Amino acid sequence: MAGIYIHIPFCKQACYYCDFHFSTSLKYKAEMLDAIIHEINLQKTYLAGESINTIYFGGGTPSLLDSGDVNRIIDQISQYYSISSDAEITLEANPDDLDQPKVQTLRNTPINRFSIGIQSFFDEDLFWMNRAHRSTEAEASVKRAQDAGFENITVDLIFGYPLLTDAKWKQNIDKVFALNVPHVSAYSMTVEPQTALATFIKKKVYAPLNEQQSAEQFLVLADAMQAKGFEHYEISNYAKPGHYSKHNTNYWRGVNYLGLGPSAHSYNGEARQWNLANNAKYIAAIEKKEIPAETEILTESNRLNEYVMTSLRTMWGLDLDKLETIAVGAKTQLLKPAAEFLEREWIKQVDNKLILTREGQLYADTIAAELFF
């Protein structure tokens, strides 16, 4: 099974913290959709022979698409790929886009999962982030989707920023529980270069982020989720049993996937490729029947390091035997630097797998870097 990701590079406005590729102008939306349709044709052999079990509309803001746009893209994919009958087909959405008419029309598409970017239920926080929606729309959008028959819903939250007191964070968590959604993605706020947030902090318009606050709020969330029966199956993701994101789990488990649209990445086990992050140049290249992508052939070390990085983020952990299938002797080599983290109890060894402890999850990137080959 393989996955397909479609990058829709448009947003109503720019969130201050976001460094994803997007445009706030919808002027060339029609041309972009035509280009994505044509890219599907150009990429028709990339996952040759594989069935598709996940399709993910990301961005940007894919909920700016109408049902006809969604159907057109999925129909084109089905021309060249076999889509599994139980495929997970996700649409990322902003709450303000999911009014009742929009939700109802999306019932007439193969979309069967929503990823709703709530981030916070407090208006002052949403304003601080420059989000397009308001708190009332956040709650209403989830309920509308549920009332329309969409049961497979995940919501996004952000923590670790100055306005978010511990009391407010607990209220956000409780609000999500009250909405009875089966999946939650929660991310620590980060300051990415070239974003408005980075500029505001540099100019002291906004207070800097606090790593200790972020760590404490991460632990509060993890404990609350566990108490409510959610499995912490990846550092930023929690799900009721059986409700993992199939698409993102494919990424962490090294399953092949095709990325369509500007800035989208693809992976086939041997190489990575990524499309140009420029809307005009992407459209122009596709019109010439060229795929505007760069490719990196993965070395043995690349494959080992990628497996270390992705597997450690999950509750399933790093399988030492799998390392040996990538490179003979890799298990012995990795266990040497891992000894320190086992002693600190940041990692635990269960059978032949290395799994991050709750404390170790706070240092996941540091641990992975130390274990790199």
Side-chain angles (χ1 to χ4, degrees):
M1 293 292 187
I4 292 179
Y5 171 85
I6 305 106
H7 189 81
I8 306 301
F10 300 109
C11 290
K12 290 179 182 175
Q13 62 190 53
C15 300
Y16 290 153
Y17 57 83
C18 183
D19 72 340
F20 293 161
H21 172 67
F22 65 92
S23 170
T24 54
S25 169
L26 299 180
K27 183 177 180 180
Y28 295 104
K29 178 187 168 189
E31 290 84 350
M32 177 60 68
L33 291 176
D34 286 344
I36 289 172
I37 291 293
H38 291 140
E39 190 190 356
I40 295 169
N41 176 44
L42 294 174
Q43 300 270 34
K44 61 187 176 185
T45 61
Y46 188 82
L47 299 173
E50 297 202 54
S51 292
I52 303 303
N53 78 328
T54 69
I55 297 174
Y56 194 101
F57 288 83
T61 310
S63 51
L64 292 174
L65 300 179
D66 60 37
S67 59
D69 299 328
V70 172
N71 282 331
R72 185 181 171 210
I73 290 171
I74 295 176
D75 287 347
Q76 182 74 352
I77 291 171
S78 68
Q79 294 292 314
Y80 302 107
Y81 289 104
S82 173
I83 302 174
S84 172
S85 59
D86 63 347
E88 174 193 271
I89 304 179
T90 303
L91 181 83
E92 285 186 353
N94 276 356
D96 50 302
D97 291 328
L98 294 182
D99 57 22
Q100 191 167 4
K102 183 63 166 283
V103 172
Q104 289 296 335
T105 61
L106 287 171
R107 289 291 292 166
N108 299 319
T109 74
I111 297 295
N112 54 32
R113 182 174 183 268
F114 280 134
S115 176
I116 304 177
I118 287 176
Q119 318 310 357
S120 174
F121 290 98
F122 292 91
D123 281 336
E124 65 266 29
D125 295 14
L126 297 172
F127 181 79
W128 184 90
M129 299 178 198
N130 201 40
R131 295 288 294 167
H133 71 279
R134 292 296 168 255
S135 58
T136 53
E137 293 171 313
E139 185 173 356
S141 67
V142 175
K143 291 180 177 178
R144 283 193 203 103
Q146 291 169 330
D147 290 345
F150 289 97
E151 297 178 359
N152 197 0
I153 295 172
T154 178
V155 300
D156 286 358
L157 295 176
I158 296 179
F159 60 90
Y161 53 92
L163 271 66
L164 188 68
T165 64
D166 290 347
K168 286 168 65 178
W169 181 225
K170 289 174 183 176
Q171 288 180 61
N172 276 340
I173 297 168
D174 288 342
K175 182 75 77 171
V176 166
F177 290 150
L179 289 171
N180 196 31
V181 294
H183 189 286
V184 176
S185 297
Y187 305 97
S188 175
M189 178 70 77
T190 57
V191 182
E192 303 296 341
Q194 312 304 318
T195 61
L197 179 59
T199 300
F200 293 160
I201 291 175
K202 183 178 180 180
K203 292 183 176 181
K204 298 183 179 181
V205 176
Y206 278 10
L209 305 189
N210 184 308
E211 289 187 10
Q212 184 62 31
Q213 174 198 10
S214 181
E216 290 173 358
Q217 291 179 348
F218 171 84
L219 295 174
V220 165
L221 175 67
D223 288 342
M225 287 288 168
Q226 184 176 29
K228 288 291 186 177
F230 283 77
E231 292 183 298
H232 193 182
Y233 74 101
E234 194 272 342
I235 285 178
S236 300
N237 289 274
Y238 305 81
K240 288 291 182 72
H243 285 89
Y244 313 134
S245 165
K246 292 181 183 178
H247 187 81
N248 289 338
T249 299
N250 282 352
Y251 289 154
W252 301 317
R253 290 188 156 181
V255 175
N256 295 349
Y257 57 89
L258 168 64
L260 302 163
S263 82
H265 286 232
S266 303
Y267 170 78
N268 64 7
E270 300 297 326
R272 288 201 171 280
Q273 71 178 41
W274 54 95
N275 286 349
L276 188 68
N278 181 296
N279 287 2
K281 291 181 180 179
Y282 168 82
I283 292 170
I286 295 295
E287 287 176 347
K288 296 176 184 176
K289 298 185 178 180
E290 299 172 356
I291 300 170
E294 294 184 46
T295 300
E296 176 189 17
I297 304 299
L298 298 176
T299 65
E300 185 178 88
S301 292
N302 290 151
R303 296 198 301 275
L304 286 166
N305 292 341
E306 187 152 305
Y307 179 65
V308 168
M309 182 176 63
T310 55
S311 63
L312 275 179
R313 293 186 63 87
T314 72
M315 70 179 189
W316 302 287
L318 186 158
D319 188 331
L320 293 167
D321 289 335
K322 184 166 182 178
L323 284 179
E324 290 293 303
T325 67
I326 301 173
V328 175
K331 173 181 175 179
T332 301
Q333 188 176 340
L334 179 130
L335 283 173
K336 292 177 182 177
E340 173 190 349
F341 302 116
L342 287 162
E343 185 177 345
R344 289 189 189 183
E345 297 185 346
W346 288 5
I347 294 177
K348 60 184 177 181
Q349 185 165 353
V350 181
D351 297 326
N352 213 37
K353 294 180 180 179
L354 300 182
I355 301 171
L356 293 179
T357 63
R358 180 69 57 81
E359 186 176 7
Q361 289 172 338
L362 295 171
Y363 306 99
D365 291 342
T366 298
I367 294 170
E370 290 297 318
L371 299 184
F372 279 170
F373 291 80

